Amino acid sequence: MNQTSTTPMTAAAIRQSFMDFFQNKAGHTVVPSAPVVPHDDPTLLFTNAGMNQFKDVFLGTGTRPWNRAVDTQKCIRAGGKHNDLEDVGRDTWHHTFFEMLGNWSFGDYFKAEAIEWAWQLLTEVWGLPKDRLYVSVFAGDESEGLEADTEAEKLWLERTDIDPTHISRWGKKDNFWEMGASGPCGPCSEIHFDSTPDGSGGPLVNLDHADVIEVWNLVFIQFNRREDGTLVPLPAQHVDTGMGLERIVRVLQDKRSNYDTDLWAPIFEAIRTNTGAAAYAGSMDSTVDMAYRVIADHIRCLVVAMTDGAVPGPDGRGYVLRRILRRGVRMARQALGAEQPLLCTLVPAVVESLGVAFPELAKSSDDVASIIKREEEAFLNTLDRGLALFADAAANAKGGDGCISGEQAFLLHDTFGFPIDLTVQMAEENDITIDRDGYEAAMESAREKSRGEDVSTDLVRTLPPEMIAALEQLGGHGTDDDPKYERSICVGNIRGVWNGKDLVDHVPTGQRVAVVLDRTTFYAEQGGQVGDTGRLITEAEGDTPGNAIFTVENTTRSGQWVLHIGHLKSGELRIGDAVDTRVDTTRHSSIESNHTATHLLNNALRGVLGEHCDQRGSLVAADRLRFDYAAHDSPTTEQLVSIENAVRADIDAGLAVDAAELALDVAQTINGVRAIFGERYPDPVRVVCVGAAVSDLAANPQADTWCPLSTEFCGGTHTGNTGEIGDFVIMQESSLAAGIRRVMAATGAEAAKARQAGEVILDRLNAIASLDPAELPDAVDLITRDIAAADLGLLHRRAAEHALTSLRDMTKKLRKAAAGESRDIAVTQAQALVDANTGDFIIGELAANDRDALLAGMDAIRGVNPDAACLLACTVEDAGKVIIVARVPKPHIASGLKAGDWVRVAAQACGGGGGGRPDAAQAGGKQPEKLPDALAAATAYAQETLA
């Protein structure tokens, strides 16, 4: 055994033991785990280390009320620099989600205490055999000017009784910890455990061997790596340790795999129960056992991430989760034979395993299971067909060059929902490869098509690198577009003219080009906001005949340069000319209103639907705004009413809108700041605040004193006050993808117009409800067409459709009653015709309104005189038509009278036509006034035929 106790500790006991040791012995404060979705760091995919939440402390830009801490941090490594996704299931110690136990010192104790306490916990408290423990220290790096960490090495020898031969030096890759390309860093001492049967694992340290694994990393934060790559000492020294719970549990429970511990048992049992698969046996060669490991790992990751606010989706961290989920679904289907959603059924098992440490998992488990189930169902709909396509492609590849084409890989992605890494994994399982270059080319082609841009537009949207270099040689390193925030005219000098192929020295006539200026007030399309339109004019005095005028149809950015795309309206323009930059202010004001309203909508969605409604994208145009957000379910009409009312209330409040640039690290610490994952924010970053001054937030970013309505990173342009927006109306709300919904809205005059149109429609519907029953059908038909054509807000449209449904039901009842009355009249008249006609055929006109009433009359005649041939007709005055029906019994057909011929003769006499079978037929006419002629022609034809 590896412990002094004869009964191995449970994972929960090990976690608590770690916390208790540092809290009781060394006075550490127990702090909660940060979410795995790093809301305070928009540039980070997931929280991937315990130190993420303390980054500001290490950099000296933030503080905490304590200088020693201990925690268990939820971590996900499934993207970016730290990505263990590909290793999951293939080995026994990598996971997408894991717990990181850690103790921390912020400028307090350093190497000596960290080393001594680590050794004490491992060997005295947990009783690990000392001869199985190995330590690696930093060997130094000449290229960085870093010396070996002889201090740590000496302390290991002096403060512990480790075997000196169990200490080894390693390079920067293994023993110098960095969180990323820049930021806090320092040398580290890694502690490894040898679980080989004979204790011979010393030479296997740091060689990724299954039996010799790192269990604890003591990081000594001494430096900060700047953006330029240089290292500078930090103002204070810190300790950051990280111990993977899954690994130490494996060691303390005397297992040779992380998956053989009690952390995984509830999930494995749930998999077995819900699939009927053989129990997990721990084989590294079995497809079934690999599926157990992959599915159990992935469902833990999904549940934790989704509880903390992430949702599977088409991009960013959402797409990482979707990839993870679909890898699990594929494994469940192929390896375990699961035909129904499996992952969603495992959520309770995850809560059972992790819920004690993270009680938030239980609170949202139903919602998480529901989202996972929908995602599974969507993928299962195409999975089998995708697997069949892959099997065909794999067979062809094996018989050819051993490579699946990029087009086939893209088809699997685009049509069947197979993430490319899943296809690559399946290819590796079949000893073949994927043409990744071909796949990327197909993907880019699809993106271009989805943008829907014509070739002429593409020619002038961007500058190739050599053209940017040429511009810089002419002077300057980009366009100064700061005046775009000032709403004023500025003078810019023409630096270049781009015609789609070359930089030319003048603006040609009759050709769409891009004019590049050194300074402009035009906003270039960026961050979801469309580019400005307007004019470039050579003189400021006015539009005199001698002025050169360039019409700007769009504005885009290429690197640091702003491109004014359009055509020359009059005059001449050349490089070096000075021009006034005049934005279409009316259009731009509408864009500003829509952009500020987008921030208000973001806030309202979170307030009504919940904090999970992360922004997934947006479009800010002059005539509308579009906002995509993460969603569990579609909002109800009542919720949409609340959302729209909340935005309108914020508009009516006339809140000040402030914007200013802040250092990125300061901006990220502002309480409640919002940012879009995937966006690359500059440093400094522009912060837009509704309801408070940015300077106040920057002075005290963690305070709740200012309570702004909304604070976001945003480089767009905005109104100065929410009251300038005027009005707000939700126009559409729809599903964009699984877990993603879209709101379309209008502001200002467009919103007011939609609102007024809606009120008019509702007033008309109220008036229609009180009409005479005879007038109701036509009125309902007319307003139905008007509603379909009207530009209404969503709420007015839903209210109108609800009212219209009631009116339609009323109309149906009236029409049904009228039809019944018409049939009754037709039957009565038909019986009278029988009494008046005793010959071989009966012909007559009925006061019917439709074909059904005529046929009811026909049935009445046949019920009394089944041997008679019968032709009946009626006029529909409102429609300006005649309806004719006929039935002929077999004896008369044998005599030559056929129903199809009979109705045709009658119809031709009243401007129509028709026909049918010999025994039954119908026809129509277009001249109701000639119905008597039609009946006379039918009578003559029957008399002649049956004579």
Side-chain angles (χ1 to χ4, degrees):
M1 294 296 294
N2 292 328
Q3 298 171 249
T4 57
S5 170
T6 57
T7 302
M9 299 170 68
T10 65
I14 293 168
R15 182 193 296 115
Q16 191 60 48
S17 173
F18 183 91
M19 301 284 201
D20 291 344
F21 176 83
F22 284 99
Q23 182 181 23
N24 297 332
K25 179 179 179 60
H28 290 61
T29 299
V30 177
V31 299
S33 170
V36 291
V37 178
H39 298 295
D40 58 348
D41 189 347
T43 64
L44 191 60
L45 190 64
F46 292 106
T47 298
N48 57 28
M51 68 86 61
N52 291 154
Q53 66 169 312
F54 304 122
K55 178 181 175 182
D56 61 324
V57 181
F58 293 145
L59 289 172
T61 60
T63 61
R64 299 293 187 274
W66 22 257
N67 54 20
R68 296 182 179 187
V70 60
D71 71 347
T72 178
Q73 173 63 50
K74 298 175 289 187
C75 297
I76 291 178
R77 292 185 178 176
K81 176 184 177 182
H82 302 285
N83 185 359
D84 293 335
L85 180 59
E86 303 302 327
D87 295 320
V88 171
R90 298 179 179 181
D91 64 27
T92 62
W93 67 92
H94 281 105
H95 308 291
T96 53
F97 163 78
F98 62 95
E99 286 185 60
M100 183 77 81
L101 300 171
N103 59 289
W104 311 83
S105 167
F106 305 113
D108 186 13
Y109 64 82
F110 201 44
K111 295 180 183 179
E113 295 87 347
I115 289 171
E116 181 178 337
W117 292 337
W119 189 255
Q120 185 177 359
L121 176 61
L122 291 173
T123 62
E124 297 179 21
V125 178
W126 286 342
L128 291 179
K130 299 172 184 177
D131 61 349
R132 294 275 184 163
L133 292 169
Y134 291 81
V135 169
S136 61
V137 298
F138 182 47
D141 188 292
E142 290 185 7
S143 65
E144 295 269 18
L146 295 170
E147 297 180 354
D149 193 1
T150 55
E151 179 187 6
E153 185 174 18
K154 182 179 179 182
L155 288 168
W156 277 108
L157 293 171
E158 293 177 350
R159 304 295 283 262
T160 78
D161 57 353
I162 188 173
D163 183 340
T165 65
H166 284 203
I167 302 175
S168 57
R169 294 185 180 186
W170 293 78
K172 191 170 68 172
K173 175 180 178 294
D174 295 292
N175 279 82
F176 191 88
W177 195 91
E178 302 190 61
M179 70 169 293
S182 62
C185 54
C188 60
S189 290
E190 293 183 340
I191 305 172
H192 307 259
F193 186 81
D194 173 13
S195 60
T196 58
D198 58 359
S200 61
L204 301 176
V205 168
N206 273 340
L207 296 184
D208 285 334
H209 193 279
D211 286 333
V212 182
I213 59 171
E214 172 202 338
V215 293
W216 205 348
N217 189 10
L218 314 182
V219 181
F220 307 118
I221 303 293
Q222 299 174 240
F223 304 100
N224 179 43
R225 188 176 293 280
R226 292 172 169 169
E227 294 290 344
D228 62 4
T230 59
L231 291 171
V232 295
L234 287 170
Q237 296 177 327
H238 314 283
V239 172
D240 159 14
T241 85
M243 173 189 287
L245 176 68
E246 291 76 9
R247 295 187 180 190
I248 195 62
V249 170
R250 159 188 170 175
V251 169
L252 291 175
Q253 293 185 359
D254 201 20
K255 305 296 183 181
R256 299 187 68 184
S257 164
N258 290 9
Y259 295 97
D260 293 337
T261 70
D262 66 329
L263 274 172
W264 305 89
I267 306 174
F268 282 177
E269 178 58 23
I271 294 172
R272 187 195 64 77
T273 301
N274 290 321
T275 63
Y280 177 70
S283 170
M284 299 306 296
D285 300 318
S286 165
T287 303
V288 171
D289 285 350
M290 181 176 179
Y292 266 98
R293 291 189 292 271
V294 169
I295 293 168
D297 171 272
H298 288 6
I299 189 59
R300 292 198 337 153
C301 180
L302 290 167
V303 171
V304 171
M306 293 168 68
T307 297
D308 282 352
V311 179
D315 51 33
R317 63 171 64 98
Y319 188 60
V320 172
L321 293 186
R322 180 165 287 170
R323 288 165 52 205
I324 290 172
L325 186 146
R326 292 185 174 182
R327 285 165 65 98
V329 172
R330 198 273 298 195
M331 274 291 189
R333 182 76 183 91
Q334 278 196 303
L336 304 182
E339 296 184 357
Q340 299 299 320
L342 171 66
L343 300 183
C344 59
T345 68
L346 307 179
V347 174
V350 176
V351 175
E352 178 186 348
S353 175
L354 301 176
V356 173
F358 309 111
E360 64 271 19
L361 299 181
K363 296 177 182 178
S364 59
S365 60
D366 290 343
D367 287 342
V368 168
S370 176
I371 296 172
I372 291 175
K373 184 178 182 180
R374 288 200 298 270
E375 285 281 326
E376 288 188 89
E377 289 173 339
F379 189 42
L380 284 170
N381 286 336
T382 61
L383 178 59
D384 285 340
R385 285 180 291 153
L387 291 173
L389 175 65
F390 177 85
D392 291 342
N396 293 333
K398 289 179 179 179
D401 60 0
C403 181
I404 292 179
S405 71
E407 289 77 10
Q408 289 172 313
F410 177 73
L411 180 63
L412 282 167
H413 163 81
D414 191 50
T415 304
F416 300 104
F418 281 45
I420 184 60
D421 61 301
L422 175 58
T423 305
V424 169
Q425 180 185 5
M426 293 165 60
E428 291 174 354
E429 293 169 1
N430 286 268
D431 296 322
I432 54 179
T433 61
I434 302 291
D435 177 9
R436 289 298 294 265
D437 290 341
Y439 167 81
E440 294 297 340
M443 177 68 82
E444 183 57 30
S445 176
R447 291 191 187 106
E448 289 294 331
K449 290 179 181 177
S450 70
R451 293 184 188 118
E453 296 166 350
D454 59 45
V455 176
S456 62
T457 301
D458 289 339
L459 287 176
V460 294
R461 287 185 67 86
T462 58
L463 295 172
E466 62 272 18
M467 294 298 110
I468 293 178
L471 277 172
E472 292 177 350
Q473 289 178 0
L474 293 174
H477 296 282
T479 305
D480 173 12
D481 61 348
D482 286 345
K484 66 190 177 187
Y485 298 120
E486 300 170 4
R487 307 186 190 183
S488 61
I489 296 174
C490 78
V491 176
N493 296 294
I494 298 178
R495 292 299 188 192
V497 178
W498 169 243
N499 65 10
K501 295 181 180 179
D502 301 294
L503 284 172
V504 294
D505 62 359
H506 69 285
V507 178
T509 57
Q511 184 178 354
R512 199 161 185 256
V513 297
V515 173
V516 184
L517 305 177
D518 63 350
R519 195 164 187 264
T520 185
T521 192
F522 280 73
Y523 182 91
E525 178 182 333
Q526 193 173 18
Q529 180 174 326
V530 298
D532 279 332
T533 62
R535 295 178 299 169
L536 306 180
I537 302 176
T538 54
E539 292 185 14
E541 287 78 9
D543 297 346
T544 62
N547 284 352
I549 301 175
F550 182 88
T551 301
V552 180
E553 301 162 355
N554 193 14
T555 310
T556 65
R557 179 179 296 279
S558 187
Q560 298 301 312
W561 297 94
V562 173
L563 280 60
H564 305 76
I565 301 170
H567 65 277
L568 187 65
K569 182 178 180 181
S570 64
E572 295 182 354
L573 284 174
R574 308 186 70 85
I575 287 180
D577 286 351
V579 293
D580 285 346
T581 58
R582 300 189 181 185
V583 171
D584 181 337
T585 55
T586 300
R587 177 179 181 272
H588 186 78
S589 294
S590 297
I591 294 171
E592 288 183 334
S593 292
N594 284 332
H595 204 153
T596 304
T598 300
H599 287 217
L600 301 183
L601 174 60
N602 189 356
N603 182 69
L605 285 166
R606 293 175 181 278
V608 175
L609 303 181
E611 286 297 318
H612 64 277
C613 296
D614 286 334
Q615 180 175 347
R616 296 302 192 207
S618 66
L619 172 68
V620 179
D623 60 340
R624 69 194 186 283
L625 66 89
R626 185 183 75 206
F627 190 85
D628 302 336
Y629 66 100
H632 294 165
D633 299 294
S634 60
T636 64
T637 297
E638 291 74 17
Q639 288 173 325
L640 289 172
V641 169
S642 297
I643 292 165
E644 185 173 294
N645 287 342
V647 175
R648 295 184 69 200
D650 293 336
I651 293 171
D652 292 342
L655 301 171
V657 181
D658 189 34
E661 287 190 342
L662 295 177
L664 182 59
D665 57 351
V666 173
Q668 289 172 343
T669 65
I670 292 176
N671 189 28
V673 69
R674 297 293 177 189
I676 305 173
F677 173 77
E679 287 285 335
R680 290 190 175 184
Y681 293 102
D683 190 4
V685 66
R686 189 171 178 82
V687 178
V688 174
C689 182
V690 179
V694 175
S695 58
D696 290 336
L697 299 179
N700 196 352
Q702 292 299 313
D704 295 328
T705 307
W706 313 112
C707 296
L709 180 77
S710 167
T711 308
E712 297 189 30
F713 292 173
C714 180
T717 59
H718 289 268
T719 61
N721 184 290
T722 60
E724 296 174 25
I725 299 171
D727 199 356
F728 175 87
V729 170
I730 296 174
M731 302 300 292
Q732 297 177 32
E733 199 284 333
S734 61
S735 174
L736 182 62
I740 306 293
R741 299 195 69 83
R742 168 171 289 176
V743 172
M744 302 280 285
T747 65
E750 291 293 327
K753 185 168 66 175
R755 188 178 301 282
Q756 183 180 9
E759 296 296 340
V760 169
I761 287 290
L762 292 180
D763 289 344
R764 286 178 58 190
L765 285 166
N766 289 331
I768 290 172
S770 60
L771 288 177
D772 184 271
E775 301 175 298
L776 190 59
D778 289 342
V780 169
D781 289 343
L782 176 60
I783 200 166
T784 297
R785 292 192 296 271
D786 290 346
I787 290 174
D791 196 13
L792 306 178
L794 177 61
L795 299 178
H796 275 119
R797 184 173 297 280
R798 287 188 178 181
E801 289 173 349
H802 178 74
L804 194 56
T805 298
S806 298
L807 291 175
R808 284 172 178 158
D809 290 341
M810 188 185 304
T811 301
K812 287 179 182 178
K813 291 178 181 178
L814 291 173
R815 284 176 170 166
K816 185 175 181 180
E821 183 179 352
S822 178
R823 283 194 296 273
D824 293 342
I825 294 172
V827 168
T828 300
Q829 291 179 336
Q831 290 171 342
L833 285 175
V834 172
D835 295 338
N837 293 273
T838 57
D840 293 331
F841 61 88
I842 298 173
I843 295 177
E845 177 185 358
L846 302 183
N849 291 325
D850 53 32
R851 175 177 171 274
D852 291 340
L854 280 182
L855 292 177
M858 184 78 72
D859 290 338
I861 291 173
R862 290 184 63 189
V864 177
N865 190 354
D867 297 328
C870 180
L871 184 147
L872 299 176
C874 70
T875 60
V876 183
E877 294 294 344
D878 292 343
K881 66 180 182 179
V882 175
I883 302 174
I884 305 168
V885 297
R887 284 178 177 167
V888 179
K890 289 183 179 179
H892 292 325
I893 294 174
S895 299
L897 182 62
K898 298 178 180 179
D901 297 336
W902 199 10
V903 297
R904 186 178 301 110
V905 168
Q908 289 173 348
C910 58
R917 303 194 312 270
D919 62 327
Q922 68 178 25
K926 300 177 182 178
Q927 299 170 302
E929 70 278 5
K930 292 188 176 181
L931 178 55
D933 297 338
L935 296 177
T939 300
Y941 180 80
Q943 289 174 338
E944 181 181 348
T945 304
L946 296 177

